[in-house]
Amino acid sequence: MRILGISAFYHDSAAAMIEDGRIVAAAQEERFTRKKHDADFPANAVAYCLSAAECEMTEVDHVVFYDKPILKFERLLETYLATSPRGFRSFRMAMPLWIKEKLFQKKLLRRYLGKLAGVKEWPGSLLFTEHHLAHAASAFFPSPFASAAVLTMDGVGEWCTTSLGHGRGKDLDILKEIRFPHSLGLLYSAFTYYTGFKVNSGEYKVMGLAPYGRPLFVQKILDHLIDLKEDGSFRLDQRYFDYCAGLTMTSPAFHELFGAEPRRPESPLTQREMDLAASVQAVTEEVVLKLARFARQETGERHLCLAGGVALNCVANGKLLKKRIFDDIWIQPAAGDAGGAVGSALAAWHGYLGNGRSPDGRDRMTGAYLGPAFDQREVEKRLTASGAVYTVLSDDDLIARTVDAIVDEKAVGWMQGRMEFGPRALGGRSILGDPRSPIMQKTLNLKVKYRESFRPFAPSVRREDVAEWFDVDVDSPYMLLVGDVLDRHRLPLGAGEAALFGIDRLNVPRSGIPAVTHVDYSARVQTVHRDTNPRYWELLSAFKQRTGCPVLVNTSFNVRGEPIVCTPEDAFRCFMGTEIECLVVGNCFLRKEDQSSNLRQDYKDRFELD
């Protein structure tokens, strides 16, 4: 039996295919259209999923959408009525779109699916699941646990913003909810907006900025913005927010409370923004810890599953792990809305259809390598058509040449196997570098990624070596846990260096792997496993044999504002549009100096800034 899950029409549209309960394929639409956070119907992602399952649309048994549009419309209508007349402008902008398209989403979906099936409207079984149930299902059902507490936290679905669930075998029950407008995700997004970043895109920048700041505003947030209870439940004082009635996140009262208007996007960052970021990060961590303690008490479970956009806050996840509230934690790699495609399909398989589940301790997301792959013949054909000059190498020579390039402090584009599902590059579509280099972090940010200089990079490390370098000794395949670099790898700071704060701390080497050591000695760790990504594991092994270091810098293969590359053509264009010096696609090895200068592109301003 085949079930197609779809997430669409808000942001990060995606599709996923499960076959007899097994996840066969999953991909985000943005990777095909090259439009960041593409919210349109995921026609390309669906077509890919059908191809991966080797079936036609007519052979799909059920299609499941990741939320219930009527409930969402009810929430919007009630919100506008409650804030009338202040919310009329927002109401006037939203209603035409809802009346034209979103309110009749069932018919719209059948038409989109019909195009793929070659008919006017797809006649098959079309199901809808609630947004947070889809999140919870995406967290629990692929996890290795037979039973677990399940926490979902995001901006808002239909009404729910936070939920506590209990998963046991094939059963998943939602026990408690926090409802709109009280939302941890929207609180974080309000500070994202206020510090000058883009909502639903720049939250991870706030997280990356936080270690440069001091949590000076924590008490002010707790005293005025959020009423936080011991069980993790909370209410937001709506006087300080404008997302219910207006078109912005924060209100004049918010600006008065913090003493200034929102930072203008792309203007210089000040210590104030860093302190605000540190403060909302600290409050978020406190809320997550309280919710987790309550989840443990309420369910009695020793394991926890997480999903929803807040679950992408890997710093909070790392703090949660260290508190040992639960014995083990599993986080859905596509924790945001894209993961709703997987969750909705699994919710139908186990919940609607009642199929059993036999967990055996394995992670059913299989490293999140669920996207398209290209065999060697296809790679060569596509690169040749793009005008690329390349050398085809044996497996051993390819690894050796790549290690040579990394040791020479070159940035290497690395495209191998299936594309990752979710926001992180995990060694399938990555840019790699030498973590020992004191200039690599700055070089990659400014000359390759064309992004803000303060942003950190993640280390990839072989699973068997992680405890030798970081205070993390658990599986972290999805780069969703932050740990600290161990003391023995840290460098002593001079008196002047130790006294620095804010952005002045950026260029001070703090460890033997400075390119992946953040200013607070933290690192967003990815453990690499031989069974899920053997070629990347072999590269790390060869780099360790050459240098004694089993760690590589791993950042996503894209520039700021661009979706992660999908195809060999995408990889070659990004290679030719940046200062990446080497490109490895399949067994093809490319050097920048061998390429025609006529194929050079200016990628610096090609994409809308995120």
Side-chain angles (χ1 to χ4, degrees):
M1 177 174 285
R2 298 185 183 94
I3 302 176
L4 177 68
I6 291 177
S7 160
F9 307 133
Y10 184 47
H11 60 86
D12 295 308
S13 292
M17 180 73 78
I18 71 167
E19 199 169 67
D20 296 331
R22 182 176 64 90
I23 304 169
V24 172
Q28 290 138 277
E29 184 69 2
E30 65 166 22
R31 307 294 173 85
F32 304 95
T33 63
R34 315 308 300 154
K35 178 184 174 184
K36 190 81 167 176
H37 303 302
D38 195 338
D40 289 341
F41 178 80
N44 296 283
V46 170
Y48 156 67
C49 287
L50 293 171
S51 173
E54 298 181 340
C55 72
E56 302 294 330
M57 193 67 226
T58 52
E59 299 173 276
V60 173
D61 297 281
H62 303 278
V63 174
V64 195
F65 193 69
Y66 84 128
D67 74 6
K68 294 189 174 181
I70 296 296
L71 290 179
K72 186 173 284 188
F73 180 72
E74 174 190 277
R75 187 250 301 168
L76 289 171
L77 206 55
E78 286 192 27
T79 301
Y80 291 141
L81 287 171
T83 57
S84 177
R86 196 161 56 92
F88 180 73
R89 183 182 171 205
S90 182
F91 174 83
R92 187 178 61 189
M93 293 181 67
M95 281 308 104
L97 181 62
W98 272 91
I99 292 168
K100 182 182 177 183
E101 293 182 0
K102 295 189 177 183
L103 197 54
F104 304 101
Q105 222 159 74
K106 189 171 186 178
K107 193 171 189 65
L108 189 68
L109 286 167
R110 288 197 181 280
R111 285 178 178 171
Y112 278 123
L113 295 167
K115 287 181 182 178
L116 292 162
V119 296
K120 184 177 180 181
E121 289 190 5
W122 187 66
S125 170
L126 179 58
L127 308 172
F128 294 80
T129 184
E130 289 193 16
H131 184 95
H132 272 258
L133 179 60
H135 275 319
S138 80
F140 176 62
F141 290 130
S143 80
F145 309 137
S147 65
V150 185
L151 275 176
T152 70
M153 304 163 286
D154 67 3
V156 62
E158 296 90 358
W159 280 102
C160 181
T161 69
T162 304
S163 77
L164 166 61
H166 194 180
R168 287 162 289 192
K170 69 178 179 60
D171 299 317
L172 176 59
D173 300 307
I174 303 300
L175 307 179
K176 295 190 180 292
E177 291 183 348
I178 297 173
R179 292 193 145 206
F180 183 85
H182 310 293
S183 165
L184 183 59
L186 291 176
L187 173 69
Y188 208 91
S189 291
F191 279 86
T192 301
Y193 167 80
Y194 189 64
T195 51
F197 302 114
K198 188 178 288 187
V199 172
N200 290 328
S201 177
E203 283 77 6
Y204 58 94
K205 298 183 186 182
V206 175
M207 183 181 69
L209 191 63
Y212 294 97
R214 303 156 296 183
L216 302 180
F217 301 102
V218 166
Q219 201 56 49
K220 186 171 284 191
I221 295 171
L222 293 171
D223 287 346
H224 296 276
L225 301 188
I226 182 169
D227 179 15
L228 176 61
K229 306 300 185 186
E230 274 306 305
D231 64 359
S233 63
F234 56 86
R235 293 181 67 84
L236 301 185
D237 189 333
Q238 291 303 303
R239 290 177 297 171
Y240 296 99
F241 303 94
D242 201 31
Y243 53 75
C244 284
L247 300 174
T248 61
M249 294 300 298
T250 56
S251 72
F254 189 107
H255 310 157
E256 183 178 348
L257 180 66
F258 291 101
E261 292 294 306
R263 168 180 166 258
R264 186 167 49 83
E266 305 306 318
S267 63
L269 284 163
T270 69
Q271 187 63 45
R272 185 168 166 280
E273 282 81 45
M274 299 172 204
D275 295 342
L276 286 163
S279 301
V280 73
Q281 179 64 34
V283 170
T284 299
E285 291 164 13
E286 186 173 347
V287 176
V288 170
L289 290 173
K290 287 182 184 298
L291 285 168
R293 291 189 185 99
F294 178 73
R296 176 66 192 259
Q297 172 190 320
E298 194 76 358
T299 65
E301 290 290 348
R302 296 183 299 108
H303 301 120
L304 176 67
C305 300
L306 295 174
V310 176
L312 293 173
N313 192 307
C314 49
V315 178
N317 296 342
K319 298 281 177 68
L320 180 56
L321 181 71
K322 287 178 182 177
K323 292 293 183 181
R324 303 299 299 173
I325 298 168
F326 289 90
D327 294 354
D328 202 0
I329 300 169
W330 190 87
I331 307 156
Q332 164 58 237
D337 275 12
V342 167
S344 61
L346 290 172
W349 173 255
H350 294 292
Y352 179 72
L353 297 171
N355 288 295
R357 177 174 173 266
S358 302
D360 56 5
R362 288 186 300 155
D363 176 345
R364 300 292 173 159
M365 289 296 291
T366 59
Y369 305 110
L370 295 167
F374 301 86
D375 63 27
Q376 183 61 27
R377 182 178 177 182
E378 184 76 3
V379 167
E380 292 178 29
K381 178 182 175 182
R382 288 169 175 256
L383 287 178
T384 299
S386 297
V389 176
Y390 56 85
T391 303
V392 179
L393 301 174
S394 68
D395 292 352
D396 290 344
D397 287 346
L398 186 84
I399 295 293
R401 287 279 296 275
T402 304
V403 170
D404 288 342
I406 294 171
V407 169
D408 286 343
E409 294 189 288
K410 292 177 179 175
V412 176
W414 176 262
M415 179 182 161
Q416 301 291 332
R418 297 185 74 174
M419 182 178 70
E420 304 90 338
F421 182 53
R424 311 289 186 219
L426 303 169
R429 305 289 188 276
S430 295
I431 299 171
L432 309 177
D434 191 338
R436 304 168 304 155
S437 168
I439 64 168
M440 186 57 62
Q441 190 261 0
K442 188 173 183 180
T443 297
L444 286 176
N445 266 332
L446 299 181
K447 293 188 175 183
V448 174
K449 300 284 284 188
Y450 302 130
R451 68 184 200 180
E452 301 93 340
S453 63
F454 70 83
R455 289 169 59 182
F457 288 104
S460 288
V461 58
R462 300 194 320 170
R463 171 63 181 92
E464 49 267 55
D465 295 316
V466 65
E468 296 297 315
W469 288 81
F470 306 97
D471 68 346
V472 173
D473 193 12
V474 297
D475 291 354
S476 181
Y478 303 125
M479 211 181 281
L480 287 171
L481 292 171
V482 161
D484 292 332
V485 175
L486 294 179
D487 288 346
R488 63 175 174 268
H489 296 296
R490 299 184 185 184
L491 300 176
L493 299 181
E497 293 173 330
L500 296 173
F501 67 92
I503 209 74
D504 293 335
R505 302 161 66 192
L506 174 61
N507 295 318
V508 178
R510 313 186 94 74
S511 77
I513 45 173
V516 294
T517 305
H518 208 7
V519 293
D520 58 353
Y521 294 102
S522 68
R524 192 178 71 212
V525 178
Q526 180 207 358
T527 55
V528 178
H529 303 247
R530 190 174 197 170
D531 59 334
T532 56
N533 197 334
R535 177 163 281 188
Y536 195 32
W537 187 91
E538 292 289 353
L539 180 66
L540 283 158
S541 299
F543 187 75
K544 178 184 180 180
Q545 187 173 11
R546 178 84 64 88
T547 66
C549 176
V551 180
L552 287 174
V553 178
N554 175 12
T555 187
S556 55
F557 197 159
N558 60 345
V559 298
R560 183 183 173 192
E562 179 192 19
I564 295 172
V565 302
C566 176
T567 66
E569 293 94 331
D570 296 336
F572 183 67
R573 281 192 297 268
C574 191
F575 170 60
M576 295 302 294
T578 64
E579 294 187 45
I580 296 173
E581 289 115 322
C582 297
L583 173 62
V584 186
V585 186
N587 281 64
C588 296
F589 191 92
L590 294 76
R591 301 189 311 160
K592 182 63 67 60
E593 58 265 34
D594 296 335
Q595 311 307 315
S596 168
S597 59
N598 294 330
L599 297 176
R600 290 284 301 189
Q601 299 189 36
D602 182 7
Y603 251 44
K604 192 167 187 178
D605 301 310
R606 179 165 180 170
F607 296 93
E608 181 183 348
L609 296 181
D610 61 2

